[in-house]
Amino acid sequence: MQPPARITQLIDPADLRRVHDLRFDILRKPMGLPYSSAVFAEDVQPTTTHYLALVEDELVGCVSLVESPEQRRTQLRGMAVRADHQNRGIGRLLLQHLQTPQLLQSTNLWCNARQAAVGFYERNGWVTVGDCFDIPHIGPHIKMEWRQLVSTSLGDCG
Ligand SMILES: CC(C)(COP(=O)(O)OP(=O)(O)OC[C@H]1O[C@@H](n2cnc3c(N)ncnc32)[C@H](O)[C@@H]1OP(=O)(O)O)[C@@H](O)C(=O)NCCC(=O)NCCS
């Protein structure tokens, strides 16, 4: 049986290279894109957080949160799970992990989801916003937002 994955935040900047490797393998290489396309300018901003899914210290999943504090909006980017670990709940674990602090901070979480991954986000409380659009060399995407679960009883003034 596969050992469980644990989620951690990237602390050592040297580990960013492992995130870039995984993003490249899963998100860019299949499209014939160069390694440099897996490196985002925002990766080294102090307000960007990288979450890692590790199985026995091997990186099997990653996702990054790019904050725009002035707009109280945070973009989810670079969600990738290693091919031989997909469909084992690791993507869901990553989302659950980052959604909790977002809820506490009341910021809006959004992403440009690949059309093929929309169902994955929907199963985790996200909704599509607007129409499908094309990102050159990568394919069709749809903007999605995470809708926080709000208890109606709290806001009920009737
Ligand atoms: C999309 C991805 C991140 C999902 O991670 P994962 O670990 O494979 O997904 P999980 O096992 O946590 O799946 C959680 C649920 O979503 C479903 N799901 C997973 N991938 C899905 C997809 N592409 N479309 C629809 N549903 C999907 C699972 O069946 C599961 O459903 P359940 O709640 O009924 O059990 C991963 O498959 C991946 O890296 N894909 C390639 C890169 C990619 O598309 N990244 C997203 C860019 S926006």
Side-chain angles (χ1 to χ4, degrees):
M1 203 176 110
Q2 188 70 32
R6 66 185 171 88
I7 309 298
T8 182
Q9 274 188 34
L10 184 142
I11 310 260
D12 183 351
D15 279 339
L16 200 50
R17 174 74 193 206
R18 295 207 289 163
V19 170
H20 294 155
D21 287 351
L22 183 59
R23 273 188 203 154
F24 176 62
D25 284 347
I26 302 301
L27 297 169
R28 298 293 187 255
K29 195 171 159 188
M31 272 78 189
L33 292 169
Y35 188 90
S36 58
S37 67
V39 178
F40 306 152
E42 299 89 346
D43 280 341
V44 290
Q45 280 176 5
T47 49
T48 297
T49 314
H50 306 277
Y51 291 89
L52 317 179
L54 301 169
V55 172
E56 292 182 330
D57 290 333
E58 242 184 282
L59 184 67
V60 298
C62 63
V63 65
S64 304
L65 290 186
V66 178
E67 282 186 41
S68 303
E70 67 287 351
Q71 297 168 334
R72 300 186 68 81
R73 285 171 66 74
T74 300
Q75 182 180 9
L76 179 153
R77 294 199 69 190
M79 163 69 83
V81 174
R82 219 171 74 181
D84 58 343
H85 282 70
Q86 289 177 8
N87 296 309
R88 294 181 185 173
I90 292 172
R92 178 191 290 123
L93 206 59
L94 279 165
L95 285 186
Q96 286 172 345
H97 201 86
L98 61 87
Q99 284 169 177
T100 305
Q102 288 304 312
L103 180 60
L104 293 175
Q105 291 166 22
S106 298
T107 61
N108 294 314
L109 201 51
W110 69 280
C111 73
N112 288 325
R114 290 181 181 200
Q115 200 171 39
V118 164
F120 162 71
Y121 291 105
E122 284 178 338
R123 278 176 169 79
N124 288 284
W126 293 62
V127 295
T128 56
V129 182
D131 297 328
C132 189
F133 62 95
D134 197 59
I135 296 186
H137 310 294
I138 303 183
H141 282 69
I142 303 179
K143 184 177 172 186
M144 297 190 78
E145 290 179 353
W146 180 55
R147 290 287 152 86
Q148 306 175 10
L149 296 174
V150 179
S151 164
T152 48
S153 62
L154 289 175
D156 187 1
C157 51

